[in-house]
Amino acid sequence: MIGSVQHRSTLASPHAASAAAVAVALEVDPSVGLASAEATDRLALHGPNELIARRRPSLLAMLWNGVTEPFVALLLIAGLLAVAVGEVRDGLLVLVGLVPIVGADVVTGYRGERALEALRESAAPMATLRRGGTVVEAPAAQVVPGDIVLIAVGDVVPADLRLTSADALLIDRAVLTGESVPEPGSTEPDDREAPIVDQHAMAFAGTRVVQGRGEGVVVATGPRSRLGRIASALGGEERRRSPVQLELDRLVRILLTVAVGLIVITSGLALLRGEPIGVALLAGVAAAIAAIPEEPPILLAVILGLGAYRLLRRGVLVRRLNAQETLSAVDLILTDKTGTLTFNELSLEAAFTPHGELSDGEMLEVARLALRAQDDAWYRSRGSRAGSFTRALEGAAAAGGDAPLLDPVLLIEAEPASGAHPFTRTVARREGGGRQELVLGAPEAVLDVLAGVDDAPQWHALVERHADAGRRLLLLAAAEGDRPLQPVALLSFSDPLRPDVGDALSAATDAGIQTVVVTGDHPLTAGRIARAAGLSEGTSVTGDELAEWDDERLMSELPALRLVARALPEQKLRIVEVARRAGRTVAVTGDGVNDAPALEHADVAVAMGSGSAVAREASDLVLGDDSFSTLMNGLREGRRMVANIQKGLVFLVSTHVALLGFVLIATLYGFSQPLLPIHILWLEFFIDISASIAFEREPEEPDLMHQPPRPRGQPLLTRELLLRISGAGAWTAVGALVLIATLPGGLDHARWVAFNALVVGQVVRAYANRSLTRPVLTLRRNSVLLGAALVALAAQFAIPYVPLLADTFRAAPLSALEWLLVAVIALAPAILAESVRALRGRTWVA
């Protein structure tokens, strides 16, 4: 049925047809919406409302990705070539050894994909729809042609809509047109040839509602929307690499170059010694395997992916995985007050005039009148979402036994609050006749627009008197007919402080993170809340005072800044820009449309779960409960993740330095094949398991949140750290070389003893580098890493006693003296590191 109507001429240019004609063409009654069954049928016909359909990689695709990794592909080719030139046993061992390594990669990838799928589902945008006569929230991906969508300030339009209702509607179309000035929405048809910038009857997918509200019927979804067609023409978007990813890319490129050189050197020397080509090839491959670090990308993906899933379970949705790396460097937080430090659960506590506090009955009448001043209250009967003040006023009216829905037919005009005028204004007809104008908002702003008020000084004094109580204050003004506006009452709302916010602010201070509260509240109100929350002493200014500072002064005052009251959105953005120029790493919280610019320019953008879709779209993180404490949990988890990435990299690089050094020096010393390919495969298997799973499970160190933030731009592997990594790896390499060069019993046995020194050294290194600054014995246990280490050691000890394995590894049992030599080589760097960390408190690598 819909398959035929989607090609009708009315939908070819819906902006030029009347809203009623478009609704008829799509067979929907805008006052009722689609039935659920019809919406399901249309979803099956048109597909999900997504620009690019998300498909979970199949098991076969994940297997193929694992096989085509450079490290695995090299081994696969080497194994096949070895079989081809007659080294059948060693070639088959290489091929068989690939199975657990590829299997580990597939399992790891599957776990990571499952975590990402959960994140995608949680991050899916929602849309407000009218279906079957009821207003419902549904994932935007399920929006279909013919759906009736309700949009309001703060929403991102989910699909192309032909507007059927527009009340003071302004839409930011910059994503499509590049025009920074919002365009009004209209229900009247446009000219058929009108360009997109002049199509006011349309609200296009991806655009943002910055004022008012409206309704529309969906005419195009997904790739058929205007935004979808642009996205299809542009093709795939190249994602920027994060700093850690760039660091890993550089490291892998260097070691891959070394690997290619090793293949040439090792194979060439073996051929010059008269070794068969198969043996020479395997020797070169073994050397290359020692150098190729395929694990760092796996380490990064697993720690960030599973870390994001952990955060999701704690109420923090990670929209961009790379932002987690930046969390460890955040040293400045610009936070809202309402909803973040407080609950944003307002209740009307009292109402005042210069003559005193109003009685309960008088306050009830004022609450009813104030409700009529709220623009969003007039659309509640249509399913519009209410703001916090509207909900508080509705609650006060309900307590008096009277909470009627306002009839939008009586509304003449409505103007929502904005950054330019922090108050709402409505003009409506009274049910008994007559015209009434109402204004409700920030007291100073409302008093500024009143003209000819004789008792204005008394009202200003009233505001100052009650602002220090730490309550949210709104001033209500009213006018009947053509009379001028006059103040009616000062409304006092309570918004309780979150009980855990004091501890969270204290934790931020201990972690070297400066917190600045940026709010639109009155300075006295904001200051009292900040003090009650335990915000440390510092400079408090108003937005007007801040505007008088030039950037140089703002930069110099920034370290002492603690509170900016009566702040405008552009001032929040300015603080972000100046702070970043000063080298600060800035996290910003926000929930409104006006917060989007500051969020987009921040290093870490944090949106409130209850906030606008615009703020969420501009964010890196979304706080499910809006709480500052939850943000601090995210910062704590971010520090733990980056610390674990660093520990994993130290382990991986030091292990490859030991292997690379041993193979290279032993080859130059005269050994044609110091390690067999099966030896390297066994080492790589343990590396994969420990790097991809065990380090992700590493708990935070005790003083994690008492350390200063990581300096912005500082690499995870500094030059000093790389030197210590090289020293630790070189010790193991030289120790293993001494064993293979001096022990009696033939090459196979000496090689096996040297290999044991490398394996045990690697196991000890993994556990001993769980902290680079504290003695490992003082840390909480990592059961996963400990279990992997014990299994590896037990298997290493058992290999010589299992005939098949003993023949494969060319292994024989070690004597007590040989085990002692292995233990000395493996444990010496760890003992030295523990001593330096314990006695001097310095960073050291085992």
Side-chain angles (χ1 to χ4, degrees):
M1 178 172 61
I2 274 295
S4 61
V5 301
Q6 66 176 327
H7 299 295
R8 291 182 183 178
S9 60
T10 52
L11 297 187
S13 301
H15 63 281
S18 68
V22 173
V24 169
L26 289 167
E27 302 181 1
V28 62
D29 180 353
S31 65
V32 178
L34 296 175
S36 296
E38 177 65 15
T40 301
D41 292 342
R42 297 190 187 196
L43 182 62
L45 175 64
H46 295 281
N49 179 34
E50 297 174 334
L51 298 185
I52 301 174
R54 295 190 181 105
R55 295 182 180 178
R56 181 185 295 178
S58 66
L59 189 61
L60 185 61
M62 296 175 73
L63 185 62
W64 173 253
N65 289 336
V67 171
T68 53
E69 283 286 332
F71 165 77
V72 175
L74 176 64
L75 286 177
L76 184 62
I77 294 171
L80 294 174
L81 286 176
V83 172
V85 298
E87 297 293 331
V88 178
R89 188 187 72 164
D90 285 340
L92 289 176
L93 287 176
V94 170
L95 297 176
V96 171
L98 288 175
V99 174
I101 293 177
V102 174
D105 285 348
V106 171
V107 169
T108 298
Y110 179 75
R111 287 187 65 192
E113 188 59 35
R114 285 286 300 274
L116 289 176
E117 188 66 25
L119 290 175
R120 291 190 191 111
E121 292 175 358
S122 299
M126 302 295 288
T128 304
L129 311 175
R130 181 178 291 115
R131 283 184 175 172
T134 303
V135 175
V136 298
E137 294 279 336
Q142 296 179 11
V143 171
V144 298
D147 257 326
I148 303 302
V149 177
L150 284 64
I151 53 176
V153 59
D155 286 345
V156 174
V157 180
D160 286 358
L161 311 179
R162 173 55 170 93
L163 293 174
T164 59
S165 171
D167 297 296
L169 187 64
L170 283 179
I171 300 176
D172 178 2
R173 298 181 175 181
V175 68
L176 291 177
T177 66
E179 293 290 338
S180 59
V181 179
E183 295 288 338
S186 171
T187 59
E188 295 300 317
D190 301 307
D191 184 78
R192 184 175 295 276
E193 303 303 322
I196 183 174
V197 294
D198 294 328
Q199 293 181 17
H200 301 297
M202 296 293 296
F204 294 103
T207 59
R208 301 172 176 184
V209 181
V210 297
Q211 179 180 299
R213 57 187 48 77
E215 297 182 16
V217 56
V218 176
V219 297
T221 60
R224 291 174 294 279
S225 68
R226 177 81 62 166
L227 186 64
R229 295 200 298 272
I230 294 174
S232 299
L234 292 176
E237 177 184 354
E238 183 179 352
R239 294 184 178 180
R240 289 187 300 172
R241 305 287 284 172
S242 70
V244 173
Q245 287 175 321
L246 292 174
E247 188 176 345
L248 295 186
D249 291 343
R250 177 175 172 272
L251 178 66
V252 170
R253 282 197 304 269
I254 292 172
L255 293 180
L256 276 174
T257 302
V258 172
V260 173
L262 275 176
I263 293 177
V264 175
I265 294 172
T266 307
S267 298
L269 289 176
L271 289 173
L272 288 176
R273 294 190 191 100
E275 299 286 353
I277 187 172
V279 174
L281 177 64
L282 288 175
V285 170
I289 297 170
I292 298 176
E294 86 288 357
E295 307 91 359
I298 299 174
L299 171 76
L300 185 64
V302 170
I303 289 183
L304 292 183
L306 296 183
Y309 188 58
R310 286 173 182 264
L311 282 173
L312 179 63
R313 295 171 64 183
R314 300 183 68 175
V316 181
L317 170 64
V318 180
R319 299 187 68 252
R320 298 179 179 90
L321 290 183
N322 293 343
Q324 296 173 99
E325 302 171 20
T326 314
L327 285 173
S328 66
V330 167
D331 61 1
L332 174 63
I333 300 174
L334 303 184
T335 181
D336 290 332
K337 178 185 73 64
T338 304
T340 308
L341 304 184
T342 63
F343 279 107
N344 196 20
E345 296 177 357
L346 298 174
S347 60
L348 180 61
E349 294 290 330
F352 305 91
T353 71
H355 303 293
E357 183 174 351
L358 301 184
S359 66
D360 290 344
E362 292 170 327
M363 187 174 72
L364 177 60
E365 290 302 317
V366 167
R368 291 170 178 166
L369 191 61
L371 192 60
R372 294 173 60 86
Q374 289 289 87
D375 64 305
D376 57 355
W378 288 93
Y379 302 97
R380 295 288 278 150
S381 61
R382 298 180 182 175
S384 176
R385 296 186 299 272
S388 55
F389 285 110
T390 298
R391 292 195 302 271
L393 292 170
E394 287 177 341
D402 181 20
L405 291 175
L406 302 178
D407 185 356
V409 173
L410 298 175
L411 183 66
I412 299 173
E413 58 180 292
E415 188 176 5
S418 69
H421 52 85
F423 52 78
T424 62
R425 174 181 171 274
T426 64
V427 179
R429 290 186 294 274
R430 301 296 297 264
E431 292 183 358
R435 177 181 179 275
Q436 183 182 54
E437 180 182 1
L438 296 167
V439 174
L440 179 68
E444 299 96 330
V446 174
L447 287 171
D448 285 344
V449 300
L450 301 184
V453 179
D454 296 333
D455 55 352
Q458 290 91 326
W459 284 99
H460 280 288
L462 178 69
V463 172
E464 291 294 323
R465 189 161 61 250
H466 289 283
D468 196 33
R471 302 291 177 87
R472 300 290 302 278
L473 300 177
L474 296 182
L475 183 63
L476 174 66
E480 300 291 337
D482 295 327
R483 295 177 182 176
L485 286 165
Q486 295 292 322
V488 175
L490 181 70
L491 282 67
S492 175
F493 297 82
S494 66
D495 185 9
L497 196 68
R498 292 180 182 270
D500 54 358
V501 74
D503 292 338
L505 286 169
S506 177
T509 301
D510 291 343
I513 301 172
Q514 177 187 355
T515 303
V516 179
V517 177
V518 183
T519 178
D521 281 354
H522 189 283
L524 295 177
T525 302
R528 188 178 183 94
I529 291 292
R531 289 191 298 272
L535 194 67
S536 58
E537 293 295 324
T539 304
S540 298
V541 297
T542 65
D544 290 340
E545 293 169 337
L546 187 70
E548 297 176 358
W549 294 357
D550 59 19
D551 287 355
E552 184 177 348
R553 180 176 179 186
L554 176 56
M555 193 175 292
S556 65
E557 296 276 2
L558 184 61
L561 195 61
R562 292 295 179 269
L563 172 66
V564 183
R566 288 291 188 242
L568 299 176
E570 54 266 29
Q571 292 170 335
K572 193 173 187 179
L573 172 61
R574 182 181 171 221
I575 297 172
V576 172
E577 293 175 334
V578 170
R580 296 193 76 245
R581 287 203 301 272
R584 307 292 295 273
T585 302
V586 188
V588 173
T589 72
D591 58 1
V593 177
N594 291 331
D595 290 316
L599 291 171
E600 289 173 345
H601 286 77
D603 294 287
V604 179
V606 184
M608 304 296 105
S610 64
S612 68
V614 171
R616 292 196 297 272
E617 286 296 313
S619 70
D620 301 306
L621 309 177
V622 178
L623 304 183
D625 61 359
D626 300 355
S627 173
F628 188 85
S629 299
T630 302
L631 172 58
M632 286 306 301
N633 288 338
L635 290 170
R636 178 188 294 272
E637 182 66 16
R639 287 193 175 193
R640 186 191 72 86
M641 284 187 285
V642 172
N644 288 349
I645 291 173
Q646 183 187 49
K647 295 169 189 176
L649 289 177
V650 167
F651 165 67
L652 293 174
V653 175
S654 62
T655 295
H656 280 281
V657 166
L659 285 172
L660 178 60
F662 172 70
V663 172
L664 180 60
I665 299 173
T667 300
L668 296 176
Y669 188 81
F671 293 97
S672 61
Q673 201 171 11
L675 289 177
L676 300 176
I678 191 65
H679 293 158
I680 307 291
L681 290 172
W682 170 238
L683 279 167
E684 290 287 343
F685 181 62
F686 173 70
I687 292 174
D688 278 349
I689 294 297
S690 60
S692 63
I693 299 175
F695 279 101
E696 193 280 326
R697 297 290 297 273
E698 184 65 31
E700 68 178 63
E701 295 184 32
D703 60 348
L704 178 73
M705 294 303 287
H706 294 277
Q707 298 292 327
R710 183 167 62 91
R712 184 175 178 176
Q714 176 179 294
L716 291 178
L717 300 181
T718 61
R719 180 176 299 180
E720 180 185 8
L721 201 53
L722 285 172
L723 287 174
R724 289 175 178 165
I725 289 170
S726 300
W731 165 267
T732 305
V734 171
L737 177 65
V738 171
L739 293 179
I740 195 173
T742 60
L743 287 178
L747 175 61
D748 281 348
H749 184 69
R751 179 167 51 201
W752 175 246
V753 178
F755 176 62
N756 273 276
L758 292 171
V759 171
V760 177
Q762 178 174 275
V763 171
V764 171
R765 184 177 296 111
Y767 207 81
N769 287 324
R770 291 180 54 217
S771 173
L772 303 179
T773 58
R774 299 174 63 90
V776 174
L777 296 178
T778 65
L779 302 179
R780 292 164 51 194
R781 187 173 62 186
N782 183 340
S783 301
V784 175
L785 183 56
L786 179 61
L790 292 176
V791 169
L793 292 176
Q796 191 70 21
F797 182 81
I799 285 174
Y801 300 99
V802 180
L804 179 60
L805 294 178
D807 183 58
T808 300
F809 282 87
R810 301 181 191 179
L814 272 61
S815 66
L817 177 60
E818 290 168 338
W819 275 119
L820 178 61
L821 293 173
V822 167
V824 169
I825 293 171
L827 292 173
I831 294 172
L832 175 62
E834 284 288 280
S835 301
V836 172
R837 295 166 188 165
L839 299 177
R840 296 190 178 184
R842 294 177 57 189
T843 299
W844 205 265
V845 176

